[in-house]
Amino acid sequence: KDLKDDLEPLRKLKAKYGVYYVTGNHEFYWDVKQWEEKSAELGFKILNNAGTEIPLPEKNIWIGGVPDISAHKMVPGLGHSPKAAAPASRPEIYYKILLAHQPKSVYLAHEAGFDLMMSGHTHNGQFFPINLLVGFFNPYHKGLNKHKNMHVYVNVGTGFWGPPQRLGVAAEITSLSLNYGI
């Protein structure tokens, strides 16, 4: 409730195929339902163990999303299932993208057949010396990576958690262009 006005500029986000939202760990610390309600009001499509098809002329894209991998610890019964977020039939007709806050979702995302997983969470450590340690706690912690036959992109964030600083770790806003043979 304290940040509703601060979120208003996000209402201006527009994208040809939609704006999508998945919860991270911090939404669960402060009333996840209010975060989801506000996000929906702003026009975001919330993906909780769900996905949606984006029809394109050559090959469709499937956007799936999962709540934070630790959500079940804060909301009993809330699962984290990339398999449920994957297309139920004919997955070969899609380029499949999973939105998952923590890179730790990579193993289940790969099992579910996604081609690309997009994450955040790590802040690449945010400041020295944590930036040297973050890789010990996450399978991937920044940039574009390859996990078997799946790409994994980890955005290091624009802001901070805890101490209001970034030291030796640049902030990031990412723009990805996908070219998968069209």
Side-chain angles (χ1 to χ4, degrees):
K1 66 183 180 185
D2 297 332
L3 297 174
K4 282 185 176 182
D5 293 340
D6 295 324
L7 296 175
E8 278 304 312
L10 296 176
R11 189 179 301 281
K12 295 177 185 174
L13 283 176
K14 302 293 180 213
K16 183 175 182 177
Y17 299 108
V19 178
Y20 302 93
Y21 173 85
V22 295
T23 52
N25 54 315
H26 287 261
E27 286 92 329
F28 288 94
Y29 302 151
W30 292 283
D31 197 346
V32 69
K33 288 294 175 207
Q34 278 192 29
W35 283 105
E36 289 179 331
E37 288 169 7
K38 182 62 179 181
S39 297
E41 178 198 321
L42 293 170
F44 299 178
K45 181 174 175 91
I46 299 169
L47 298 175
N48 275 332
N49 297 316
T52 189
E53 176 181 15
I54 298 174
L56 296 173
E58 296 293 324
K59 188 172 186 178
N60 297 341
I61 291 179
W62 182 269
I63 302 279
V66 290
D68 189 74
I69 197 167
S70 65
H72 69 281
K73 295 176 184 175
M74 293 163 270
V75 178
L78 180 59
H80 170 88
S81 177
K83 185 176 180 179
S89 64
R90 301 183 54 215
E92 70 280 358
I93 69 169
Y94 300 109
Y95 183 81
K96 299 170 295 303
I97 301 170
L98 181 69
L99 306 178
H101 181 67
Q102 291 197 40
K104 292 176 185 174
S105 300
V106 68
Y107 308 108
L108 293 174
H110 180 262
E111 287 176 20
F114 283 92
D115 300 298
L116 168 66
M117 185 179 85
M118 297 172 62
S119 297
H121 181 70
T122 70
H123 296 264
N124 193 27
Q126 190 174 310
F127 50 84
F128 179 84
I130 296 175
N131 61 322
L132 302 176
L133 303 173
V134 70
F136 291 108
F137 305 103
N138 297 279
Y140 304 101
H141 58 95
K142 67 177 180 175
L144 185 61
N145 306 273
K146 187 84 173 199
H147 180 83
K148 299 181 181 179
N149 63 334
M150 182 179 75
H151 285 95
V152 179
Y153 189 83
V154 183
N155 177 291
V156 299
T158 56
F160 54 84
W161 59 268
Q165 66 180 2
R166 289 183 80 95
L167 179 63
V169 177
E172 174 183 8
I173 296 175
T174 305
S175 175
L176 293 177
S177 295
L178 301 177
N179 180 350
Y180 55 96
I182 292 181

